[in-house]
Amino acid sequence: MNNIAATEGPGQIELDETDQGIIDLLRDDGRMAYRAIARELGITEATVRARVRRLEDSDTMRVVAVTDIEAAGFGMLLAIGVQVENRDPEAVARDLAAIAEVFSVNVVVGTHDIEILVVAPDSAGLNDLLSETLGRVPGVRRLTPALAVDVLKNQPDWVPFHGA
């Protein structure tokens, strides 16, 4: 799945209605042809091409691929709290970040020292991940997994962006 990240900040270009239209269409379908965008917006294909280039060159927009975890074979999504003992939490976090099934790592203040998001294909894979992989990282004292039973929002393309 392709998604568009659009940001505004210092040095960014001013977006007009045409730019916003292009961004909106590409957010819906990151592979949409310039000809189709032009037809939708009532502008020329050359204008779309020039605008997209300008948006990308100014780092205002970029098209990125986002993996659908279920399509990739992972049926389980978990948030896991990690308590650390006898080791710097940042070092443990770096080790956890190197594990393929871990896709988000945050050093936090609270009940846990680190919070991670992980995927597993099934319960057997989850058991291996927890006991054989995550549990064996030096400094990991306790893992507190929370299985996502109903994902209400997972928006990997979200950015703090407000249209023109």
Side-chain angles (χ1 to χ4, degrees), residues 88-124:
D88 178 47
E90 298 233 358
V92 175
R94 280 191 294 279
D95 287 350
L96 293 169
I99 298 169
E101 295 88 353
V102 176
F103 65 90
S104 176
V105 179
N106 301 290
V107 176
V108 298
V109 175
T111 305
H112 308 292
D113 300 300
I114 301 167
E115 290 181 355
I116 61 176
L117 290 175
V118 303
V119 291
D122 51 32
S123 58

Side-chain angles (χ1 to χ4, degrees), residues 28-148:
D28 288 340
D29 180 358
R31 296 180 291 183
M32 188 175 203
Y34 290 166
R35 179 173 290 154
I37 294 170
R39 194 171 37 250
E40 285 282 327
L41 298 177
I43 58 178
T44 68
E45 187 176 344
T47 299
V48 172
R49 189 175 315 285
R51 293 290 186 109
V52 168
R53 187 175 314 117
R54 185 177 115 254
L55 290 166
E56 290 177 335
D57 289 349
S58 67
D59 289 329
T60 301
M61 177 190 79
R62 62 188 162 112
V63 179
V64 296
V66 177
T67 302
D68 179 334
I69 63 170
E70 287 183 8
F74 296 103
M76 304 181 91
L77 172 67
L78 290 92
I80 301 177
V82 181
Q83 290 180 343
V84 176
E85 184 174 72
N86 299 325
R87 193 165 177 224
D88 178 47
E90 298 233 358
V92 175
R94 280 191 294 279
D95 287 350
L96 293 169
I99 298 169
E101 295 88 353
V102 176
F103 65 90
S104 176
V105 179
N106 301 290
V107 176
V108 298
V109 175
T111 305
H112 308 292
D113 300 300
I114 301 167
E115 290 181 355
I116 61 176
L117 290 175
V118 303
V119 291
D122 51 32
S123 58
L126 173 60
N127 185 48
D128 286 345
L129 179 64
L130 291 172
S131 60
E132 301 299 320
T133 306
L134 300 175
R136 293 184 184 214
V137 171
V140 170
R141 178 179 173 257
R142 170 185 270 168
L143 298 169
T144 308
L147 176 62

Side-chain angles (χ1 to χ4, degrees), residues 6-22:
T7 59
E8 286 184 296
Q12 298 297 316
I13 60 174
E14 186 84 19
L15 299 180
D16 63 15
E17 214 172 286
T18 300
D19 295 324
Q20 188 60 52
I22 291 168

